[in-house]
């Protein structure tokens, strides 16, 4: 049994982490840390990770669901206390801090897991297998959602390090880096930034591979009505499309049987396996693509965002 503590009990923790942990007999949620002090049905809730580590029950692991800007120090506290660490996506506010966390995990003999939940969407493994033996000429990402619906009141997402529209779009990039047979590189980016915040609300990113496949990502945080989370790949042997964030897969317009979508149960299954093996899994490729887009992207100031 892996005794785990949860740090940051917000929307994603309530919606995904707590139910996934409850459904996996290898884990026992024994403590949490959250300044909001939610009622978790008898599970002790502490102000922060330091109080949880000092005064809480014995822990084997910690899952961090805090905003990325606050992730580094919290993760360091857990790793240095000898706890395995599960990082909600994105794994950090910067690429270099994740490398630091990996080094600390190695030094203390514990597991670090950079989780990318969209890679565990039902259609992703089959899409990866199908693309592995085909030549991709073009791939298009369309990731458009309503920030007011999915991130109400989450002001951190607009601050430096919060990534704005790339907070959801990094899910698409995590799928992209999982299913592509070759490495992906950013070549251009155009970012639209509201005049009253620090992070983009929309954007277009151009990417490629060493083989010259043209990859585009069109991103929008203001789409109302039906939401769009699609990835389409044109190959020398047909067209593949992942929809609903990877939950549905079609090939040449024909729906494929992919089974139930179980992203977070899949993540915790993977984490339990890593802990049993004593192996870390640290992948920063999606975060690197975001960093590169910010580095070379041109910025256009647009009207203020008012929630």
């Amino acid at each position: 049994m892996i005794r785990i503590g949860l740090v940051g009990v917000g929307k994603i923790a309530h919606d995904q982490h707590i139910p996934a942990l409850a459904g996996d007999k290898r884990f026992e949620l024994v403590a949490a840390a959250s300044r909001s002090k939610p009622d978790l049905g008898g599970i002790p809730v502490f102000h922060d990770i330091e109080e949880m580590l000092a005064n809480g029950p014995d822990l084997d692991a910690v899952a961090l669901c805090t905003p990325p800007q606050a992730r580094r120090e919290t993760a360091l506290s857990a790793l240095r206390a000898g706890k395995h660490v599960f990082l909600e996506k994105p794994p950090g506010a910067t690429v270099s801090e994740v490398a630091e966390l990996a080094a600390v995990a190695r030094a203390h003999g514990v597991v670090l897991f950079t989780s990318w939940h969209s890679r565990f969407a039902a259609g992703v493994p089959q899409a990866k297998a199908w693309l592995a033996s085909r030549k991709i000429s073009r791939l298009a990402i369309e990731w458009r959602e309503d920030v007011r619906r999915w991130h109400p009141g989450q002001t951190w997402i607009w601050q430096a390090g919060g990534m704005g529209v790339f907070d959801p779009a990094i899910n698409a990039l995590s799928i992209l880096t999982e299913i592509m047979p070759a490495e992906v590189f950013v070549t251009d980016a155009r970012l639209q930034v509201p005049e009253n915040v620090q992070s983009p609300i929309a954007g277009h990113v151009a990417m490629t591979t060493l083989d010259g496949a043209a990859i585009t990502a069109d991103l929008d945080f203001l789409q109302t009505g039906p939401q769009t989370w699609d990835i389409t790949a044109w190959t020398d042997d047909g067209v593949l499309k992942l929809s609903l964030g990877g939950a549905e897969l079609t090939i040449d317009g024909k729906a494929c049987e992919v089974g139930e979508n179980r992203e977070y149960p899949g993540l915790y299954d993977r984490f339990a396996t890593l802990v049993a093996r004593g192996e870390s899994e640290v992948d920063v490729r999606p975060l690197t693509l975001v960093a590169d887009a910010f580095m070379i992207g041109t910025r256009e100031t647009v009207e203020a965002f008012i929630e």
Side-chain angles (χ1 to χ4, degrees), residues 2-37:
I2 301 169
R3 299 163 298 179
I4 193 167
L6 192 61
V7 181
V9 188
K11 179 175 172 51
I12 193 66
H14 281 291
D15 291 351
Q16 301 291 351
H17 288 263
I18 293 173
L21 286 167
D24 193 322
K25 294 181 179 180
R26 292 167 293 181
F27 290 94
E28 181 184 5
L29 179 59
V30 298
S34 177
R35 293 178 182 178
S36 64
K37 292 293 184 75

Side-chain angles (χ1 to χ4, degrees), residues 240-283:
L240 175 147
K241 184 173 184 178
L242 284 166
S243 303
L244 297 180
E248 295 182 356
L249 172 66
T250 60
I251 296 176
D252 291 331
K254 182 179 179 181
C256 302
E257 178 59 45
V258 295
E260 182 184 0
N261 204 44
R262 301 179 72 254
E263 295 182 14
Y264 277 83
L267 282 178
Y268 276 101
D269 176 70
R270 181 62 178 160
F271 187 42
T273 299
L274 292 171
V275 170
R277 295 175 179 173
E279 298 176 359
S280 290
E281 185 171 291
V282 179
D283 185 356

Side-chain angles (χ1 to χ4, degrees), residues 164-206:
V165 73
F166 283 96
D167 179 76
I170 203 170
N171 295 331
L173 299 177
S174 73
I175 295 174
L176 176 70
T177 50
E178 177 71 9
I179 66 175
M180 286 293 287
E183 292 297 318
V184 177
F185 310 94
V186 174
T187 58
D188 186 39
R190 301 192 304 273
L191 311 176
Q192 296 180 343
V193 183
E195 62 184 8
N196 62 331
V197 301
Q198 298 295 315
S199 298
I201 200 165
H204 176 88
V205 182

Side-chain angles (χ1 to χ4, degrees), residues 8-299:
V9 188
K11 179 175 172 51
I12 193 66
H14 281 291
D15 291 351
Q16 301 291 351
H17 288 263
I18 293 173
L21 286 167
D24 193 322
K25 294 181 179 180
R26 292 167 293 181
F27 290 94
E28 181 184 5
L29 179 59
V30 298
S34 177
R35 293 178 182 178
S36 64
K37 292 293 184 75
D39 181 359
L40 297 182
I43 296 171
V45 180
F46 300 89
H47 178 74
D48 53 30
I49 191 170
E50 285 76 17
E51 184 184 7
M52 184 176 73
L53 292 172
N55 301 322
D58 289 338
L59 298 173
D60 303 302
V62 174
L64 303 186
C65 307
T66 58
Q69 298 98 319
R71 196 75 55 75
R72 176 179 175 271
E73 291 300 329
T74 306
L76 285 173
S77 294
L79 294 169
R80 288 169 175 162
K83 314 305 178 187
H84 307 299
V85 171
F86 175 120
L87 297 174
E88 174 62 75
K89 68 86 191 172
T94 70
V95 177
S96 58
E97 73 182 52
V98 182
E100 176 193 21
L101 296 179
V104 173
R106 287 193 299 271
H108 287 79
V110 291
V111 168
L112 181 67
F113 178 40
T114 56
S115 74
W116 300 104
H117 66 83
S118 291
R119 289 181 173 174
F120 289 80
V124 171
Q126 191 171 333
K128 179 179 181 179
W130 192 85
L131 289 173
S133 60
R134 290 165 173 85
K135 180 177 176 60
I136 301 168
S137 59
R138 182 163 62 96
L139 184 144
I141 295 169
E142 295 178 277
W143 225 254
R144 304 188 184 105
E145 65 177 59
D146 184 357
V147 64
R148 295 180 176 91
R149 174 179 172 185
W150 300 104
H151 301 276
Q154 295 182 6
T155 56
W156 61 265
I157 209 167
W158 299 112
Q159 299 166 3
M163 301 200 307
V165 73
F166 283 96
D167 179 76
I170 203 170
N171 295 331
L173 299 177
S174 73
I175 295 174
L176 176 70
T177 50
E178 177 71 9
I179 66 175
M180 286 293 287
E183 292 297 318
V184 177
F185 310 94
V186 174
T187 58
D188 186 39
R190 301 192 304 273
L191 311 176
Q192 296 180 343
V193 183
E195 62 184 8
N196 62 331
V197 301
Q198 298 295 315
S199 298
I201 200 165
H204 176 88
V205 182
M207 296 166 277
T208 190
T209 65
L210 289 176
D211 294 333
I215 303 169
T216 58
D218 287 298
L219 318 173
D220 187 5
F221 230 169
L222 293 174
Q223 177 158 301
T224 57
Q227 308 285 275
T228 304
W229 301 297
D230 296 342
I231 299 176
T232 306
W234 290 263
T235 79
D236 58 350
D237 186 32
V239 179
L240 175 147
K241 184 173 184 178
L242 284 166
S243 303
L244 297 180
E248 295 182 356
L249 172 66
T250 60
I251 296 176
D252 291 331
K254 182 179 179 181
C256 302
E257 178 59 45
V258 295
E260 182 184 0
N261 204 44
R262 301 179 72 254
E263 295 182 14
Y264 277 83
L267 282 178
Y268 276 101
D269 176 70
R270 181 62 178 160
F271 187 42
T273 299
L274 292 171
V275 170
R277 295 175 179 173
E279 298 176 359
S280 290
E281 185 171 291
V282 179
D283 185 356
V284 296
R285 289 177 296 164
L287 184 60
T288 300
L289 294 177
V290 174
D292 288 349
F294 272 78
M295 183 175 291
I296 70 171
T298 58
R299 287 164 172 77

